[in-house]
Each structure stands twice: as C-alpha cells, then as structure tokens.
Amino acid sequence: MLLTVDGLVKEYVTRFGGRRVPALRGVSFSVEQGEFVAVMGESGSGKTTLLTLLAALDRPTDGRILLNGEDMAAIPSRALSAFRRDRLGFIFQDCNLLDTLSLRENIVFPLVLAGTARSEMEARLLPLTGRLGITPLLEKFPYEVSGGERQRAAAARALITRPDLLLADEPTGALDSGSAAQLLGMLDECNAEGQTTVMVTHSLDAASHASRVLFLRDGLIAGEACREGWRARTFTPALPPVRPRCSREVSVLRNTLLPRLALRGLYGNRRLYLPFLLATAFMAMVYFVIAAFVYNESFGRSIPNGGNIQILMSVGYFLMPVVLLPFLVYIYSYLLKNRSRELALYAILGLGRRHIAVILLIENTLCFALCILLGAGGGALVCPLVFRGLLAALGIPSGIVWGLSFPPLLATVKVFAACFAVLVVIGVWRAARTQPCSLLREQTQGERPMRGRLLAAILGSSCLFAAYFLSLTSGRSATLASFTLALLLVILGTYGVFTGVIAEVLRRLRKGPRFYTDASEFVVVSGLQHRLRKNAAGLVNICLFGCAALFTLCCSLCVLFGQGAVIARVGQTITNSQSGINFTNVTVEDITMMFTTLAFLGVFFVLVFLACTSLVLYYKQLSEGMEDAGRFRILRSIGLSDEMTVRTARRQLRVVFLLPLGGTLLHIAFATPFLSTFMGLISIDTPLVLYGSIALSMLVFALFYLICYQITIRAYLRTVA
C-alpha cells in the first residue's frame, strides 16, 4: 500500500482563541500504487485540509499518514523539505509559481535542488512541456502568460520529479475547457504509466478521470465510488526516483543556485528594496561623516575648541545606532511580510531552512555591501564640503586640509554589519518558526479581534495625561530623568491610544447606522480593522519618528535664531537665579563654535529622522497597497466603481496620515516646557525665539508630511489599481 491514512484528525482554534473547530474528524483510507483517487465534497467539508496534511505542509492533531510505510509525523522538521521535494508533487489551485523565475526555471527548480544533471533535466522537461503545450513559453515569466498557461507550468513542475504521490488541489479550477481537458488527459497518461495521484476537485468531469472517488462531508468520509474493473489494470513498474545528491552537487547548489535565487529575489523585489537601500546608504553616509569628525585627531588640534566639537559629535556617534537598529528592524519586517509567499514556496519545493538562511544571508550581505559602498563613498565626497562649511561658519580660514582615515570606515562597517546581522537572524527565525501554509496566507491574513481595547485605551490615555502633566509642571526644574520618564510615557501612551481608542472607535462605527448605508465607510472601517494592530504599530512609529524630527528641528532653529542674542550677552554677569552659560568666562568664539556645532548636529539628525519618517510612511502604504490590491479587485468585481475605489482609498489614507500628524503636533506642543528648559541651558530664553521656532518647525514638518502623503498615495493607488 503506497498511502495509508489512519484516524486523521485536524482541529483549528477560532480567531477568538477559545473554541476548537474540527476540520477532519477521523478520516481513514488507503491508496494503492498507481491509483488515481479523487476527493469531492462541499465547501468546508475538509478537502483542502486533507490535502494540506497529505502534503506535509501542516501537522495533524491526531492520526497517522504513512507513505510507503513511513510515518510523516516522525519525519524531523529539518528533513521535511527534502521529503516534499523528492517524494511528493504539488499542483496548487493558484499555481504558486515564483515570479522571479522563468517558466523553465520554475519547472526544473525541484530537480536543481535534487542535484539532477542538466542533460537529464532537459530530457524530462521538453517531453513534459510538449505534452502540455507550453514549450514555446519556457523563457517567459509567470506574469507574462495567461492563468491557464501558469497552471500547466505548475503541473509540469509537479510531475517532473516523478514523485511517489502527486497531489492536486482543483487543478482545472482556473482553466478553460480545452486547457482542462489537456491537463486531465496528461494526468491520465501519467496514471497509466504508474503515477499515483490524489486530486481534490469540485468538477464532476475531472473526477470522472479518477479510478476511485472519495466523498467528504463534515470532516468524515461519507462514501466512495469505484470505476468498474480498475483493480484489474496492469501498471508498469514505477520510474526510478531522482538520484540522491552527492557532495559535489551540494556544493554546486550552494555555489550557483542559492546566490542566483538571492539575486533574482532582490531584482524581482527591487521596488521594495531600492528605497531601503537608498535610506540605509544615506544613514551610512551621515554616520561616516560624524565618525570622521570624531576620529580626526588633526581636526581637534588644528582648530580652536576642536576637541569640544569632537565631544559634541561623539553624542551623535553613540546615539545614531540606537535610532538605526529599531528603524531597520521595522522596515525589514515589511520586506519579509511581502516576501512570505516566496519564502513559503522555497520551503514547499524543497529548500531546507539552512538554504533559506543562506539566501537571506546573501541578500543582506549584498545590501550591506551596497550600503557601505554608497554610504562611505558619499561620505568621503561630502566630508570635505561639510568641513569647509563648518570652518566658514566658525570664521576660520579654509587653509586647513581635511584628511580621511580608516577608523571612520571601520566604525561604519561595524555598526551596519551588526544591524544587518540582526536582520538575518530575524529573517531566518521567522522562516524557521512558521509553517509554509501559514506563510502562504500571511500576506492576506487578517488579525484576531483585539481583546482589552477599552483597557488599552484607558491605560494609553492615562500615560499620555501623565506625560503631559509632568511636562507642564516641571517648568525650569525639568531634569533629564523627568524628560526620559515623560518620553517613555508618551511611547506607551501613543501605542495604547492608537490601538485601544482606534479599536473602540472602529467597533462603534461598524455597529453604527452608516456602516451598511455608506459604501465608502463600509470599506474603510473594515479595511482598518482587518489589520488594526499592525496599523497601530506603523502609526506609532511614524508618530515617534516625526516627534524626534520635529523636536530636533525646533532645537536647531532655536540655536540658529537665538545665537545673536546670546553673543550680545558675552561679558555680562549673571545672577544666582539665572541658569545657562556663564558669560564672564566665555568668548564670542566659544559661543559661535558651540552653537555652530549644535546646529550642525541638529541638521544631521533632522535629516536622519525625516528619512526614517518618510521611509516608514512609504513602506507602510506600499505594503498595505499590496494587501489591498486583491481586496479592491474583489470589491470592483462585485460592483464598486473605479471612482469609488479611488475615493475610498484616499479616505482611508487620510485617516491613516492625519492621525500621526495630529499626534506629533500635539506631543510637541506639550513638550514646549522641556524644550524651554533645554534651550535655557544655553541661555536661549527669548519667548519670541522659542515659540517662533516651534511654530516654524511645525509648519515645515507639516509641509514635508503632506509632500510625503502625496508621493505615497500615488504609490498606493498605483498598487491597488
């Protein structure tokens, strides 16, 4: 007996996490070598679940599946990929071809993994594709051919390994009658040659090609029908299996295939990776410039107060990695989210976890190398310009020559290598811990309804109230400890408000009278609730990066506009009640040096925080656009007009964009006492300078934010269109 299924049970936990729903309730049957079995049943009867378990894409709750006497449940997780590749073939309902590979490469991909010789690949490929009528299309990519042609390519990929068991999930569901007849005819031919097949189908015509039909109902086999005389059929001996790989072939796989997949993955997803590379390269350039000032000893000796400037630069040198790592982790999570289907297909087709880890390692190594190359190269070009600009601002003659050294490059390489190493670990851990079928659903899978939203709203509001109260009551007595506490409260409060309050508002809107009468509100509310927690995390990151950019911009403008008033007070005595600079012990040159350096650092960090804000905005909308494309396609197919689609998308984006902008402006408004305290430390205490800088900063940030909104909404609309 080739396949034995004994007492198979599969239960799923409901989205609310409470009730267990049985999908299969003790299914038992067997399949002989060379048999063609069809499985039929109504929707929800458990057909797809059964096929998923037979394909070793998920684990059963109870029961056994034996293939040639080998229990699938006993196969170690690390060996499942090779088992699926060598013993099973898959024809998926939605094809599941890799867009980064041509049809030829998709079809022979399992043979490449198995180390099959090129001549044998061609010997198997051409007869198979000829029978399916897709030989002229082999050099095309999946997105260049029709749905029927993609399905035939998927069938060729499943059959080319000559698997012990061929599994087909509605193989003719997306085909016209001619293509369906051609595919079923080929399955008949393969069956006549000894290929064992289990096919799930709704089609009576497709099921009529099977030797036996099993009928599923409510997770149980309700009956079966056999074709007369099928047991008398004489089967030819099974074709030899794919030969095992030798050490040389493993080396070829590692040295040729995996780097090629990594390069194809980067190129195929260049729309996602290009902004990521440009942003990280820009940050590497900024860090390189700061490190160049910190490590340049001649700068400290040649310029008056150069040592003090280097001390101020070292603040940015140590602070920037703290900002960089969470930003890269957050953006990389978006990249992995949009590549989950690709990684799942790699696992299904036979790539082991270590192979996927190598692909991710190669991709991140290439990104890291490009980041360092562009960042360090740009930094080397920018450093002399920045140096001359700083000398001009300090009023120092430009006769001093700027020289680059190796330590800034080494420091930049170390920081970004550590960050990219963390990204590799995250990617490998995520791919290793998630079942392939879960990865396939991840891009379109919604979230469980949030529990405790009222508690989250109350706690979040309380944290924000406490932070605002702490800021307003601290006044001139504010300390670094109180500022840090207020900052933590703002982070927690923002997340609590953006999850709890928004969840409660969306729940009430969904129960309101307009939900079913206003089509736009219907789509917007349901879309926002579909991914509430992820939306909240994105909004919080946008808000916090925006706050950092706006606060830094306020400080920089205060330094820029308040420098003249501070210089005018040089030589004056201060009373005991006054805080700030002791003007009796400083010179105009000291003030100029300090303020210029602070403004210099401020500009760098404003650019970094604005880059973080804009990139999070871009990836959030691009990622959600990819998810929403299918949803809007379905909505258009059932009557939503193109005009309504655009209007609904814009309305949803306005909500998403205005919330972080409003939160940012509100946080900065309540942070004014802290800003006043910090500026008082350097004797900037003129109300006009302080409040004028805050107002101008808010205006500049709002304009920048609106520009980002226009750019990202166009990218989103292009995606959902």
Side-chain angles (χ1 to χ4, degrees):
M1 199 66 63
L2 177 73
L3 176 68
T4 302
V5 178
D6 182 20
L8 199 61
V9 175
K10 180 61 180 178
E11 295 179 340
Y12 293 101
V13 179
T14 62
R15 292 182 66 195
F16 296 95
R19 192 163 55 92
R20 301 183 71 86
V21 178
L24 297 176
R25 301 187 295 167
V27 172
S28 299
F29 65 93
S30 59
V31 179
E32 294 187 7
Q33 172 69 43
E35 193 175 357
F36 188 170
V37 177
V39 180
M40 299 189 71
E42 298 177 354
S43 297
S45 60
K47 304 186 303 299
T48 301
T49 301
L50 174 62
L51 203 67
T52 300
L53 296 176
L54 294 180
L57 296 176
D58 204 354
R59 299 283 190 179
T61 306
D62 196 9
R64 297 189 306 161
I65 303 173
L66 305 178
L67 185 65
N68 277 331
E70 184 177 5
D71 190 350
M72 288 189 185
I75 300 174
S77 297
R78 62 180 180 275
L80 273 178
S81 294
F83 176 82
R84 285 192 291 261
R85 179 192 66 228
D86 298 334
R87 308 282 296 279
L88 303 174
F90 312 89
I91 304 178
F92 296 96
Q93 184 176 3
D94 54 355
C95 302
N96 280 344
L97 297 177
L98 292 164
D99 291 334
T100 55
L101 302 178
S102 65
L103 294 188
R104 175 190 296 273
E105 293 163 341
N106 267 289
I107 294 169
V108 302
F109 187 73
L111 296 182
V112 174
L113 294 177
T116 307
R118 181 66 181 272
S119 58
E120 187 176 349
M121 288 184 196
E122 293 296 319
R124 295 188 185 192
L125 174 69
L126 296 179
L128 192 58
T129 56
R131 290 157 75 181
L132 285 169
I134 57 173
T135 302
L137 307 174
L138 289 179
E139 303 309 320
K140 293 185 177 294
F141 286 83
Y143 51 81
E144 297 177 315
V145 299
S146 67
E149 291 163 343
R150 285 196 296 270
Q151 186 66 296
R152 280 179 274 165
R157 182 182 62 188
L159 291 165
I160 199 168
T161 59
R162 299 168 182 170
D164 294 346
L165 178 64
L166 176 65
L167 302 169
D169 183 9
E170 296 283 1
T172 61
L175 302 181
D176 56 59
S177 57
S179 299
Q182 192 175 17
L183 176 61
L184 291 171
M186 193 189 139
L187 291 179
D188 284 337
E189 292 177 15
C190 293
N191 180 235
E193 294 171 356
Q195 176 63 64
T196 308
T197 305
V198 175
M199 175 179 65
V200 165
T201 183
H202 279 101
S203 169
L204 290 173
D205 180 59
S208 68
H209 289 257
S211 307
R212 182 161 54 114
V213 181
L214 301 177
F215 297 96
L216 276 182
R217 179 182 298 167
D218 299 329
L220 293 168
I221 293 182
E224 76 175 72
C226 299
R227 181 188 294 176
E228 289 291 331
W230 73 268
R231 292 185 186 276
R233 182 182 298 178
T234 302
F235 300 107
T236 58
L239 293 169
V242 178
R243 61 185 176 84
R245 292 172 291 170
C246 64
S247 58
R248 182 187 64 81
E249 291 164 341
V250 173
S251 177
V252 170
L253 170 66
R254 184 181 300 112
N255 295 332
T256 60
L257 175 64
L258 299 184
R260 188 179 179 188
L261 289 177
L263 288 172
R264 286 291 185 89
L266 289 175
Y267 181 77
N269 295 281
R270 58 191 179 277
R271 188 180 176 188
L272 291 172
Y273 276 93
L274 185 58
F276 175 72
L277 278 173
L278 293 177
T280 50
F282 170 75
M283 293 180 183
M285 182 187 73
V286 172
Y287 191 76
F288 182 88
V289 171
I290 294 175
F293 275 96
V294 172
Y295 283 103
N296 196 304
E297 297 179 359
S298 61
F299 175 77
R301 293 193 303 266
S302 305
I303 296 177
N305 295 309
N308 294 331
I309 294 178
Q310 286 182 314
I311 292 174
L312 290 173
M313 290 291 186
S314 65
V315 175
Y317 177 79
F318 291 107
L319 180 61
M320 191 168 171
V322 178
V323 177
L324 181 66
L325 181 59
F327 165 74
L328 291 179
V329 169
Y330 182 77
I331 294 299
Y332 193 63
S333 68
Y334 272 119
L335 295 177
L336 287 178
K337 170 81 173 179
N338 285 282
R339 296 191 63 194
S340 56
R341 176 178 171 272
E342 181 183 347
L343 296 177
L345 290 177
Y346 285 155
I348 291 170
L349 296 175
L351 276 182
R353 292 174 183 173
R354 66 183 184 279
H355 297 131
I356 295 176
V358 171
I359 290 174
L360 293 175
L361 177 62
I362 294 172
E363 290 177 352
N364 280 279
T365 302
L366 291 173
C367 290
F368 165 72
L370 286 172
C371 166
I372 294 299
L373 181 64
L374 295 174
L381 295 175
V382 168
C383 268
L385 301 177
V386 173
F387 179 65
R388 291 194 187 97
L390 184 59
L391 291 180
L394 293 172
I396 299 174
S398 58
I400 302 174
V401 179
W402 174 264
L404 291 176
S405 58
F406 182 71
L409 176 62
L410 182 61
T412 306
V413 169
K414 286 181 178 179
V415 168
F416 281 82
C419 291
F420 276 94
V422 172
L423 301 187
V424 172
V425 172
I426 291 173
V428 173
W429 180 85
R430 185 172 176 180
R433 297 271 299 185
T434 310
Q435 292 289 346
C437 56
S438 300
L439 283 173
L440 283 173
R441 295 192 302 264
E442 186 174 353
Q443 280 184 267
T444 56
Q445 195 172 30
E447 300 174 350
R448 293 181 179 180
M450 181 182 174
R451 294 180 176 181
R453 52 184 173 269
L454 187 59
L455 178 62
I458 293 173
L459 291 177
S461 302
S462 300
C463 287
L464 284 183
F465 178 79
Y468 294 161
F469 181 78
L470 184 61
S471 175
L472 294 175
T473 55
S474 294
R476 287 285 185 173
S477 62
T479 62
L480 183 61
S482 62
F483 175 75
T484 304
L485 177 59
L487 180 61
L488 292 175
L489 290 173
V490 164
I491 294 173
L492 295 174
T494 304
Y495 187 79
V497 168
F498 278 11
T499 50
V501 173
I502 293 176
E504 186 62 24
V505 170
L506 291 176
R507 187 187 70 84
R508 291 181 180 274
L509 287 174
R510 198 157 192 166
K511 290 187 175 182
R514 290 186 55 191
F515 183 71
Y516 290 99
T517 58
D518 186 337
S520 179
E521 183 167 317
F522 184 94
V523 176
V524 170
V525 172
S526 59
L528 291 174
Q529 205 167 34
H530 176 72
R531 44 170 181 262
L532 176 64
R533 281 191 292 273
K534 190 178 69 175
N535 256 325
L539 296 177
V540 169
N541 277 278
I542 294 169
C543 183
L544 295 178
F545 279 123
C547 286
L550 187 50
F551 191 87
T552 309
L553 182 59
C554 288
C555 293
S556 301
L557 291 180
C558 284
V559 169
L560 180 64
F561 296 138
Q563 179 177 349
V566 174
I567 291 176
R569 295 162 62 182
V570 172
Q572 298 178 5
T573 58
I574 61 173
T575 63
N576 293 332
S577 61
Q578 290 179 307
S579 61
I581 301 172
N582 186 351
F583 293 103
T584 59
N585 298 325
V586 297
T587 64
V588 173
E589 289 76 15
D590 294 333
I591 298 295
T592 303
M593 179 276 298
M594 181 177 66
F595 277 57
T596 302
T597 307
L598 289 174
F600 178 82
L601 278 176
V603 168
F604 267 102
F605 277 99
V606 166
L607 293 175
V608 169
F609 289 133
L610 288 179
C612 292
T613 305
S614 58
L615 201 63
V616 172
L617 280 169
Y618 176 81
Y619 272 112
K620 179 177 172 14
Q621 294 314 127
L622 185 63
S623 173
E624 292 178 3
M626 291 179 175
E627 292 182 31
D628 290 343
R631 189 166 63 100
F632 277 110
R633 186 162 51 247
I634 295 171
L635 290 170
R636 282 197 297 269
S637 69
I638 59 177
L640 190 71
S641 66
D642 291 341
E643 181 184 356
M644 177 65 77
T645 299
V646 174
R647 189 164 65 248
T648 302
R650 287 184 177 276
R651 182 177 175 183
Q652 178 174 314
L653 291 180
R654 277 198 300 270
V655 173
V656 171
F657 269 81
L658 289 176
L659 283 172
L661 179 60
T664 299
L665 298 179
L666 184 64
H667 292 342
I668 295 300
F670 277 98
T672 300
F674 282 120
L675 181 62
S676 176
T677 301
F678 292 152
M679 292 299 100
L681 295 176
I682 54 176
S683 299
I684 298 178
D685 49 14
T686 306
L688 180 61
V689 172
L690 180 65
Y691 296 112
S693 298
I694 293 175
L696 182 59
S697 299
M698 288 183 173
L699 178 61
V700 170
F701 180 79
L703 290 174
F704 166 81
Y705 198 85
L706 291 176
I707 292 172
C708 291
Y709 167 75
Q710 292 297 330
I711 294 173
T712 52
I713 196 173
R714 289 175 185 173
Y716 178 88
L717 292 175
R718 281 198 305 269
T719 305
V720 300

